[in-house]
Amino acid sequence: MKVLFALPFPPLPANFGGAMRMFHLLNQVALHHEVTVLGYGNLEDKKNLLEAMPLKEVHLLPYAWKHRHRRLGQLYSCFTHHSFFQQSVTTPTYGRALNALLDKGAFDIVHTEFSHFGPFKMQTKALKVLDAHNVEWDNFRRMYEASAFGLKKLHYWAEYKKQRSDELKTCLAHDGIVTTSARDLELLGQYLPKLRGAVVPNGVDLEYFRPSPCPPKPLHFVFTGMMAYVPNHDGVGWFLDHIWPRIVHQRPEARFTIVGKNPPPFLLARQSESVRVTGTVEDVRPYVDEACVYVVPLRMGGGTRLKIAEAMAMKKPMVTTRIGCEGIALTHEKTALLEDTPEGFANACLRLAEDETLQKRLAEEAFQMACAHFGWQAIGKALLENYEKWLSEKG
């Protein structure tokens, strides 16, 4: 098959969730079919992609001004009918380049990454597939509900309303929708009853994220994630404000490490003898290896969290909120400890950190689950099977 991938940003370096998913899905399709990429980036981005996987062609355009100047773009979007997310990555130049490629090549499939990136009027008979990643409007709804009143809360409300309209229109313009969780597919189906969709979950590189032979440090906790992402820094802030004091009150020797690029100033200001904020690191694995408990204290977000799959593959026992593990069928007391209140979360962290038998049991069950269901090769196979199915239905 000939497949055209439309990307809103380069998938390399694959150092946060969206880029990781794009990279691995793109690679799995390129291993079996002829793939052309259209996206944003520079010559170095193009070189990196061509060296990383067997692509036929890579075409990259300069970013939109709204993407390069984020705050101005957000202000501009306040006076329009479309979300900032959509306007930051969609330009007439990109639309023309997309249709020029479609005119030149007889593609079987056009695969678009992210729902806010899909409003282009594609002049093609190819099967149009959208990888939604998240239901972004629902993510902004949760951000709105969890925020204190102020400009941010108003911005989240406006983005929620605009994104719902933008995303539903984008879904209607595609022949097949891929989501990362059954919850997201069900949420879209409530608005689009004739939706042709499938769940293709997030995964993990099982060769890269492997269990460490070294024992963890007692009472060491870790969180990893792109810290500029609101659900991540909101969750860590909630953990530091309402959960961590309960832990250090009982065990003053406890340590918490926050790993991820672009931590906001309020998190950097929380560093202390017991709290470490690393910022960008080349490799998250050593920080995860040294922890005895991996925490996912998220209160908002959508899709599924790659951090969960990575921790499972590294045999790290977890304490998570139920929102934190949405889309991955973790079971309380079997594959993780699931708690949604500060008191319950703190007690679960202490219990797990002090019970090596429980650590090993939860970690082993989660590891077996990751190996069976979350390797990228198996996930790529599922995506290709849906391609074939939808092409057959489309005729």
Side-chain angles (χ1 to χ4, degrees):
M1 290 188 294
K2 293 183 179 180
V3 185
L4 173 60
F5 265 75
L7 311 180
F9 53 83
L12 288 174
N15 54 7
F16 64 97
M20 290 179 196
R21 179 174 175 85
M22 286 200 306
F23 173 81
H24 286 289
L25 291 184
L26 181 60
N27 185 49
Q28 288 300 318
V29 176
L31 289 173
H32 301 281
H33 300 284
E34 184 179 290
V35 173
T36 297
V37 170
L38 176 63
Y40 294 105
N42 54 37
L43 289 175
E44 185 179 356
D45 295 321
K46 179 176 180 177
K47 177 176 175 287
N48 291 340
L49 268 177
L50 289 169
E51 289 177 350
M53 62 186 76
L55 299 170
K56 183 189 177 188
E57 295 178 2
V58 175
H59 305 271
L60 300 182
L61 305 173
Y63 281 108
W65 73 265
K66 302 179 194 73
H67 182 95
R68 297 193 307 270
H69 306 285
R70 184 179 181 87
R71 294 305 180 201
L72 283 175
Q74 288 175 329
L75 179 62
Y76 173 83
S77 71
C78 292
F79 303 97
T80 73
H81 296 294
H82 298 291
S83 70
F84 164 71
F85 261 34
Q86 178 170 302
Q87 294 189 59
S88 68
V89 289
T90 58
T91 64
T93 302
Y94 195 102
R96 288 191 292 270
L98 180 59
N99 281 319
L101 282 172
L102 293 173
D103 288 341
K104 186 176 75 170
F107 291 99
D108 300 293
I109 294 170
V110 181
H111 178 121
T112 301
E113 290 287 342
F114 288 93
S115 54
H116 58 278
F117 190 55
F120 301 106
K121 295 180 180 179
M122 292 181 276
Q123 300 162 7
T124 180
K125 293 181 180 179
L127 180 80
K128 290 176 281 189
V129 175
L130 174 68
D131 181 12
H133 284 249
N134 304 308
V135 178
E136 297 291 354
W137 93 68
D138 190 55
N139 194 4
F140 272 87
R141 178 189 62 80
R142 284 174 162 174
M143 289 157 65
Y144 163 78
E145 290 175 351
S147 299
F149 188 78
L151 288 177
K152 274 191 177 181
K153 192 176 185 72
L154 293 173
H155 169 70
Y156 293 153
W157 173 257
E159 283 290 293
Y160 154 58
K161 288 294 188 179
K162 292 177 182 180
Q163 291 219 31
R164 185 170 65 179
S165 173
D166 287 343
E167 287 183 73
L168 293 175
K169 288 176 183 176
T170 295
C171 288
L172 283 170
H174 286 76
D175 302 304
I177 310 297
V178 169
T179 65
T180 63
S181 72
R183 177 187 178 274
D184 282 0
L185 189 61
E186 181 181 351
L187 187 58
L188 289 174
Q190 291 174 7
Y191 293 85
L192 305 171
K194 295 183 180 180
L195 177 74
R196 180 191 283 122
V199 176
V200 176
N202 279 324
V204 61
D205 185 339
L206 295 170
E207 291 299 314
Y208 185 80
F209 292 98
R210 304 176 71 172
S212 171
C214 302
K217 296 180 181 179
L219 286 163
H220 273 60
F221 303 84
V222 69
F223 175 91
T224 66
M226 207 271 279
M227 297 313 303
Y229 184 50
V230 174
N232 284 343
H233 68 239
D234 169 83
V236 171
W238 179 67
F239 182 85
L240 289 173
D241 287 340
H242 302 287
I243 298 166
W244 189 241
R246 299 169 188 263
I247 294 173
V248 294
H249 177 72
Q250 295 191 48
R251 300 300 297 265
E253 69 272 33
R255 296 293 181 268
F256 178 42
T257 302
I258 303 160
V259 184
K261 71 176 186 177
N262 299 332
F266 84 87
L267 280 186
L268 292 172
R270 301 297 294 271
Q271 294 187 89
S272 65
E273 183 181 352
S274 66
V275 176
R276 174 173 49 163
V277 182
T278 69
T280 302
V281 298
E282 289 188 7
D283 189 348
V284 301
R285 293 174 299 177
Y287 300 93
V288 178
D289 284 338
E290 73 178 14
C292 65
V293 176
Y294 190 100
V295 298
V296 189
L298 299 189
R299 303 189 297 167
M300 60 181 74
T304 56
R305 321 302 189 261
L306 281 95
K307 59 176 68 66
I308 293 271
E310 292 167 3
M312 293 166 70
M314 294 180 71
K315 280 194 176 181
K316 282 295 154 181
M318 280 180 286
V319 181
T320 176
T321 59
R322 286 166 176 80
I323 285 179
C325 64
E326 276 180 353
I328 297 179
L330 296 181
T331 304
H332 182 54
E333 297 283 355
K334 182 178 180 182
T335 47
L337 298 183
L338 277 58
E339 295 289 347
D340 294 317
T341 66
E343 182 179 7
F345 206 105
N347 290 340
C349 285
L350 287 167
R351 175 190 167 204
L352 188 53
E354 295 170 350
D355 188 339
E356 290 188 15
T357 301
L358 180 61
Q359 289 176 27
K360 290 176 181 178
R361 178 170 64 80
L362 295 180
E364 182 62 34
E365 289 282 351
F367 175 73
Q368 295 300 329
M369 184 178 174
C371 292
H373 301 290
F374 295 108
W376 281 113
Q377 186 174 358
I379 290 170
K381 181 181 177 183
L383 176 63
L384 292 173
E385 287 173 351
N386 282 296
Y387 280 177
E388 297 283 359
K389 175 186 175 184
W390 293 338
L391 279 171
S392 177
E393 292 174 352
K394 187 177 173 64

